[in-house]
Structures are given as C-alpha cells and as structure tokens.
C-alpha cells in the first residue's frame, strides 16, 4: 500500500488507472472497512482518502478535537487491501483560501443542514475536488450519512460526473449502535445509553409498518420520549428516500433520519423503510 | 466530423481518448476558428461544444435572440479540423432544474458581474458540467472574455481540475473591432463606430505607457469621452492581470477591460499591458 500526501504523488501512483474511491476523515472503524471491502468488488485498485475537511465544520463544531489516527488508519487500510491512501495536509488541498464552492440546493439547509449551516456546501466542495484529483471509476459512501449520500448523488447527476456513487449499508455494533468515529467521545454510561437512538428509529419503523400515518405526530413523540431520558434531539424526521422531501400521503419509499445529542456528543442515524 | 447531441453519444465518440476542448455558444466567427486552430496544436482530437447556456443570461438579456446558426457552424468546424461537435438540446444538459451551482468568489460580482448578476455562476456551472462530460486533456477559451478566462482559470486551480486552461488572443477586424457573435446585432452605422471601443483602450494603454498613473481619472475620462459620442459605458477599468483586482501603485501586469453599449448592442473588449 502506498501512502501519498501530495496531489502529484497521487496522480503518479494511479498513473491513469481508474480506481474505486472511498473518501474518509480518518479515525477509521469497521464501518469504513466495510466500505473498502465493497470498493474492492468494484475495481482492482482501491484509493482511500483521509482528510479532516475544515470547510464542512461550523465554527463551534469539533474540528479541532476530531480524532486523527493516521498510523492506525493506514494499518487497517493495508489489511483491507487498499492500494493507495491519499492523506493531504490542509495546505495541499487548500493552498489558497477556497473561494469557489459547490452550492447545493435547499435540501442542504434542512435536517443536518439546519443544525450545521454550510456543512453540505463544505462536503460537496471537498468531495468534488477529491473527485477531480482521484478521477475514480466509482466512489463509495456510507448510508450512515444518509443526507450526505443523497446530496452527493444529486450533485453527481446534476454536474454530469462520469462515474456512479454507491451507497453502502451502515455497520452496527451488536446492540444496534451505528459505528461512528464520534462514538469514541462517549463515556461508558453514554455508550450504554447510545443504542436507544437506533431503537427509537426501529420503533418508528414498526409503527409505520403497523399502519401509523400521522408522521408529524410520530416524529414529535419519538423526539420527546428520547429527550425524556437525557438526550437532546436536533431532529427526528420521516422523509421520502429519493430526495428527502416531506412525504405525501401513501408514500412508501421512506427513510427516518435522526440527530440527537448525548452529553457533548452528537450522534446521527437513519433507517430505510 | 461527428455531430452528437447526447452525453452518451459524445462519450462513445470519444471512447476514452482525451481531447482538446473548446466550449462555445455557436454563432461562430473567425475568432472561434482561431481557438480551434490553437486546440489542434494541443491534441489530435478537437471537441467543440455549441450550447447557448440559459444559466448565464440575465432575465432581460439576449438569450432568446442570441444567434443560432448550427448548420453554418458545423461547416466551419469541419473545415477547421474539429473531430466532434457536441450540440446538446437544453433538456439534455439540464434534464431537471439545475439546483447545484459552482459559486465563484467576489470578483465575479465586479466588472461584467456587476452588470450581469449571476452571469459567472452560470458560466462556471455549465463549464464544469461540460468538462465532466468531455473530460478533456486541455480546454481553450478566448481572451476576448478576459474575466471569464480569469475566473475559469481560478476555478480550475481551486477545484483541482486535472488539465490546463489555455487563453487564446482576441482576433480583430482590420479596423480593430474584436470579433464577437454580437457584432451581427450592429447596424451599418454602429459597425462603423464600433472600433472606437478598441481605440479607446489603445489610447489608455499608450497613456499608461507614457507615465500616466491616475488610473481612476483615466478610467473616468475614457468613459466620458466614449459616452460623449453616443456610447453608454458600463465600465472601463484598469486592473491587475492575475486576479483582476484594483492595482496598487507600480503594478506592471495590467489589463484594461471595457463594456459599453452602442444602441441595443453591448460590446466588451480588453487589452493587456
């Protein structure tokens, strides 16, 4: 496995061969590794990037304390059969102030975007830039960041990117907690409580499968019952899968998305119906 | 020469071979042909696109009356050794409302951008999309649209596009008028008067070479003397070449840019110092 830090070294390492590409912010867990395994089924060469992208963090978010574990990440990626790791320093990717941005549509200001203004503009901009650097034949993203995946798919379509975006199922611990780099912020007590978020989503799913149709009421109740046990929920939302719009009556392709805080840690999760 | 209308047909026609790419809005004149000739020195395969891009026109601009001359354009392109012409219909390039945009920085709101709000956002968005479709090894643009060239070069750098952007010198009629698709809007009398714009730029250049240094004063005088003969000037501006910023004292890499209306026709031109 090659570890490269510069755009020119990456382009030399790939030498025109097209690869399956998995962008990450590092702090890798088994969920990322399942993305690498999926990538290997799409191309002989797998490229992973590791870059904590300042553009997608708000001023009061955890950019500075976001975990950076490059050596351990590289060991895991080598074991997972990744060919090239691209880990640029900040001034390699942003040698000058980034003044060109990819501006996503209104859906980027809802859900995560409501609580993280500018987040998806930062995501779309860095991902497009990474795409131009790697020029992959396919790119893979986790469904854990469901709204991110939806927005990037829409970006790929609207900007006519010449390769597909693949979504990979969320990996969970045996108690249901979605794997996340931010899980390491949780105290032991919080870690025990954390699977409640997924259980809430499952209960909502079961209620809808059982015929419940007052989505706004379901969202409110789920949020209130979670918050009654010490969470602070940003949103629990039942949306249409395709574009994350509020579903109309009888819509069947749904996803339930949630973001909630446990102590200082903000967790997100979702479940497709 | 192949004429293709769909993205898939274009990708088949190119079949992975990388080309020199010249995006146009059609209504081709000798200036465009000089771009094609320059393109041929960069690659065996030259691709030209012809697309009048609604996104870059303001609501009161000349989108509807912009000249469309596809058959004549294709004849000229074939004679110029172009291999593939990509002429998509509007719903091929924008099958859904374009809600993702490339948002350029503040310089895009000055000069042309002050008088054509949103123009460079529309240009940057369609050009990036065309780049993703053609995946060229080089792209060429005329210096006639100097600010456009500067913005696209900056976009290419900031979004890490994997190929260079080449600027090609403006072609002029023998009386100095810069070739432009919009020249055909001019009446006979206006056509006779039109070279005054370039003569004004030349006079400014000579004055600066002669030691004049009150740039704001020079701009004001040039604009006033042009307008005294029936023009209506949007701007005449002496700027730094690299980023089109207002130059500091002693700056030597300058460009003078102008936009002025003669009757209903808006002409732009520029001259490098």
């Amino acid at each position: 496995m090659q570890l490269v830090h510069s755009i020119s070294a990456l382009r030399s390492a790939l030498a025109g061969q097209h690869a399956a590409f998995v962008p990450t912010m590092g702090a890798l867990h088994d969920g990322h590794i399942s993305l690498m395994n999926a990538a290997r089924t799409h191309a002989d060469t797998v490229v992973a990037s590791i870059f904590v992208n300042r553009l997608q963090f708000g001023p009061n978010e955890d950019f500075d304390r976001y975990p950076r574990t490059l050596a351990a990440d590289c060991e895991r990626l080598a074991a997972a059969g990744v060919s090239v790791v691209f880990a640029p320093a900040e001034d390699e990717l942003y040698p000058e102030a980034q003044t060109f941005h990819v501006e996503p549509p209104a859906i980027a200001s809802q859900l995560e975007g409501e609580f993280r203004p500018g987040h998806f503009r930062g995501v779309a901009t860095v991902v497009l830039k990474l795409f131009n650097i790697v020029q992959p034949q396919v790119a893979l993203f986790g469904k854990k960041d469901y709204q991110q995946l939806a927005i990037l798919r829409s970006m790929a379509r609207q900007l006519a990117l010449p390769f597909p975006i693949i979504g990979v199922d969320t990996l969970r611990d045996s108690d249901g907690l979605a794997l996340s780099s931010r899980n390491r912020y949780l105290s032991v007590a919080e870690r025990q409580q954390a699977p409640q978020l997924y259980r809430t989503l499952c209960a909502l799913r079961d209620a809808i499968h059982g015929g419940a149709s007052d989505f706004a009421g379901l969202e409110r109740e789920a949020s209130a019952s979670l918050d009654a046990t010490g969470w602070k929920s940003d949103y629990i939302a039942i949306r249409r899968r395709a574009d994350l719009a509020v579903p109309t009556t009888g819509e069947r392709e749904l996803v339930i998305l949630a973001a909630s805080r446990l102590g200082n840690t903000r967790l997100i999760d979702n479940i497709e119906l």
Side-chain angles (χ1 to χ4, degrees), chain A:
Chain A
M1 189 183 78
Q2 272 184 279
L3 169 63
V4 298
H5 300 284
S6 72
I7 295 172
S8 61
L10 179 79
R11 288 186 172 143
S12 304
L14 291 177
Q17 68 184 303
H18 286 182
F21 177 42
V22 185
T24 82
M25 298 209 302
L28 302 183
H29 49 67
D30 289 347
H32 295 104
I33 300 307
S34 78
L35 281 163
M36 307 302 158
N37 293 337
R40 283 216 322 280
T41 69
H42 288 279
D44 294 337
T45 304
V46 174
V47 178
S49 65
I50 296 179
F51 182 68
V52 184
N53 173 39
R54 189 188 296 268
L55 282 193
Q56 71 192 67
F57 285 79
N60 298 315
E61 293 185 7
D62 57 347
F63 175 76
D64 286 324
R65 70 169 184 139
Y66 198 86
R68 279 129 172 124
T69 58
L70 183 62
D73 291 348
C74 285
E75 272 183 45
R76 300 208 61 176
L77 293 173
V82 167
S83 305
V84 182
V85 176
F86 177 50
E90 201 164 2
D91 61 1
E92 176 70 9
L93 220 52
Y94 301 128
E96 58 189 69
Q98 184 75 23
T99 57
F100 278 81
H101 294 96
V102 179
E103 195 64 52
I107 186 62
S109 306
Q110 296 178 31
L111 304 169
E112 281 300 283
E114 182 183 344
F115 295 91
R116 307 187 68 185
H119 173 65
F120 289 116
R121 186 178 87 149
V123 169
T125 301
V126 79
V127 167
L128 185 77
K129 195 161 182 171
L130 288 168
F131 283 171
N132 287 332
I133 292 167
V134 176
Q135 299 177 260
Q137 69 180 37
V138 59
L140 297 94
F141 293 84
K143 287 192 183 176
K144 162 77 159 36
D145 295 298
Y146 201 90
Q147 189 178 6
Q148 168 177 283
L149 175 61
I151 286 173
L152 293 177
R153 276 192 163 135
S154 171
M155 176 181 88
R157 202 175 61 241
Q158 288 215 352
L159 295 182
L161 296 184
F163 54 85
I165 305 262
I166 309 278
V168 176
D169 285 337
T170 301
L171 217 63
R172 300 179 181 282
D173 268 343
S174 54
D175 59 5
L177 177 66
L179 298 194
S180 164
S181 303
R182 289 185 171 100
N183 289 351
R184 68 189 75 189
Y185 297 156
L186 298 167
S187 69
V188 173
E190 288 167 345
R191 174 63 191 80
Q192 284 190 313
Q193 206 183 340
Q196 220 180 334
L197 184 62
Y198 182 57
R199 286 200 296 269
T200 301
L201 294 175
C202 291
L204 274 175
R205 174 197 59 193
D206 296 345
I208 294 170
H209 280 159
S213 62
D214 171 16
F215 290 172
L218 287 171
E219 291 170 359
R220 258 194 320 272
E221 281 164 36
S223 187
S225 78
L226 204 53
D227 289 8
T229 62
W231 294 74
K232 218 178 141 323
S233 297
D234 281 347
Y235 61 84
I236 297 184
I238 302 162
R239 295 295 178 105
R240 187 157 71 190
R241 271 201 226 176
D243 56 6
L244 302 187
V246 174
T248 50
T249 313
E251 201 93 53
R252 311 197 77 184
E253 299 268 292
L254 301 173
V255 58
I256 314 173
L257 308 105
S260 196
R261 291 164 202 275
L262 203 49
N264 292 320
T265 306
R266 187 174 182 279
L267 299 176
I268 66 172
D269 203 352
N270 65 80
I271 190 169
E272 287 178 316
L273 267 68

